[in-house]
């Protein structure tokens, strides 16, 4: 079987997934340069792409089944990283959030919460990928929630609410594909429908939701009344930037929202707004089409998987990417609160890009081993 794998390796390597991912990163590097031409973010992104490709290939040529077997170890290491980042002197605080660990020399910082998604996916796949004869019950549902709750709890202590939210679809997708009992789905949906407005009211009355968190939600609920020089500044400037691009984009850098620094963090959280400004509606459409090709291909790889575990690994990754893309684009066009979630493969930040390519490496590994017993 090993010989069969060697013969098929080159042909079955998912070149389309790898090529589309690289194209999106290249497009993102161009937009990062447009956003902050005087900074070196785009150069770091190129260096990061090289490292990410090496990591992707290394994972792709590893046996994902063995890595899933080691999931508890990876999960434990991930939790240790999330604890370390909370310790003063080890974790680095930026803009009120202690989310990064400083690496020596020119390596910069890395964000553990981006990487811990991978062991969480592997852990969920290990637990829910086992052969089953019936639908999931409350016991299995609670087990999945516990796997997710511990890292989310640690991330909320940083505090990084946006990053914590990106973990939720990982469990939702795995649970949905594991034939959970419909009464559990109905109970969770009912709890969400009733719980969301209730949580908002309770959060406001108890003071849990206050300051910028409350104001950013209020900006979305009532944009006309938002203070455009205060808490509504990010959303308003992003919407102006998106609108400035028109159909084919604006090349007038002299009056660019991002170049003139009206748009905060244009190279990370609002890279989609920069794309809209420089390439217009057409550029945004092409970018979303590229994401659609990437995600569709990953779903195809999941359908080809020879086992349930491989399918769950890929689909959890797909669910996480779709959620994060939707959240970032929704922020940029003013439909969702600004909570600091990067656009996968586009935003500046080596942690996010490296974690995404590692995830893609797992999908390719599943694809390569679909004929291996």
């Amino acid at each position: 079987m090993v010989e069969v794998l060697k013969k098929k390796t080159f042909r079955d390597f998912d070149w389309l997934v790898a090529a589309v991912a690289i194209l999106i990163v290249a497009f993102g590097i161009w937009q990062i340069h447009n956003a902050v031409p005087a900074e070196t973010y785009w150069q770091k992104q190129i260096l990061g792409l090289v490292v990410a490709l090496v990591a992707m290939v290394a994972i792709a040529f590893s046996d994902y089944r063995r890595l899933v077997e080691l999931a508890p170890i990876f999960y434990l290491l991930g939790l240790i990283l999330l604890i370390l980042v909370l310790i003063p002197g080890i974790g680095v605080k930026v803009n009120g959030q202690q989310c990064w660990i400083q690496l020596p020399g020119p390596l910069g910082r890395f964000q553990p919460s981006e990487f811990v998604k991978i062991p969480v996916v592997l852990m969920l796949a290990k637990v829910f990928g086992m052969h089953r004869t019936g639908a999931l019950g409350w016991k299995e549902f609670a087990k999945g929630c516990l796997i997710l709750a511990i890292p989310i709890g640690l991330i909320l202590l940083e505090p990084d609410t946006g990053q914590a939210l990106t973990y939720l679809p990982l469990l939702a997708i795995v649970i949905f594909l594991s034939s959970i009992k419909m009464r559990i789905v109905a109970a969770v949906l009912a709890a969400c429908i009733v719980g969301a407005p209730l949580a908002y009211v309770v959060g406001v009355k108890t003071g849990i939701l206050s300051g910028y968190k409350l104001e950013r939600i209020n900006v979305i609920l009532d944009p006309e009344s938002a203070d455009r020089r205060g808490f509504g500044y990010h959303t308003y400037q992003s919407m102006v930037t998106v609108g400035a691009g028109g159909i084919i984009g604006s090349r007038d850098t002299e009056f660019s929202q991002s170049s003139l620094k009206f748009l905060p963090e244009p190279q990370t959280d609002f890279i989609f707004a920069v794309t809209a400004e420089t390439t217009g509606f057409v550029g945004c459409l092409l970018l979303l089409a590229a994401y659609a090709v990437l995600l569709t291909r990953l779903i195809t790889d999941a359908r080809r998987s020879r086992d349930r575990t491989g399918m769950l690994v890929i689909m959890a990754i797909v669910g996480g990417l779709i959620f994060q893309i939707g959240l970032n684009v929704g922020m940029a066009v003013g439909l969702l609160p600004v909570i600091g979630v990067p656009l996968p493969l586009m935003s500046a930040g080596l942690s996010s890009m490296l974690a995404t390519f590692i995830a893609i490496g797992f999908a390719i590994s599943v694809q390569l081993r679909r004929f291996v017993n």
Side-chain angles (χ1 to χ4, degrees), residues 234-284:
H234 292 69
T235 300
Y236 177 71
Q237 289 298 332
S238 180
M239 292 168 68
V240 170
T241 307
V242 170
I247 300 297
I248 59 171
S250 170
R251 300 290 182 272
D252 191 353
T253 56
E254 186 178 352
F255 299 103
S256 163
Q257 287 286 108
S258 50
S259 295
L260 293 176
K261 300 185 178 179
F262 286 113
L263 183 65
E265 305 296 338
Q267 76 280 6
T268 54
D269 298 346
F270 292 102
I271 195 66
F272 186 80
V274 175
T275 303
E277 185 181 43
T278 56
T279 65
F281 177 74
V282 174
C284 291

Side-chain angles (χ1 to χ4, degrees), residues 187-248:
V188 172
L189 286 176
C192 291
I193 293 171
V194 176
L198 187 64
Y200 177 80
V201 173
V202 172
V204 172
K205 288 188 177 298
T206 58
I208 296 174
L209 274 177
S210 60
Y212 77 94
K213 294 177 184 175
L214 177 60
E215 291 300 331
R216 285 185 175 177
I217 294 174
N218 288 336
V219 167
I220 301 301
L221 296 177
D222 188 9
E224 295 300 322
S225 303
D227 179 7
R228 294 177 178 178
R229 294 185 178 181
F231 291 107
Y233 182 81
H234 292 69
T235 300
Y236 177 71
Q237 289 298 332
S238 180
M239 292 168 68
V240 170
T241 307
V242 170
I247 300 297
I248 59 171

Side-chain angles (χ1 to χ4, degrees), residues 59-78:
I59 295 294
F61 286 98
S62 303
D63 191 335
Y64 71 94
R65 295 168 299 181
R66 293 185 179 178
L67 296 177
V68 170
E69 285 302 312
L70 297 173
I73 297 174
F74 294 135
Y75 183 77
L76 183 61
L77 291 174

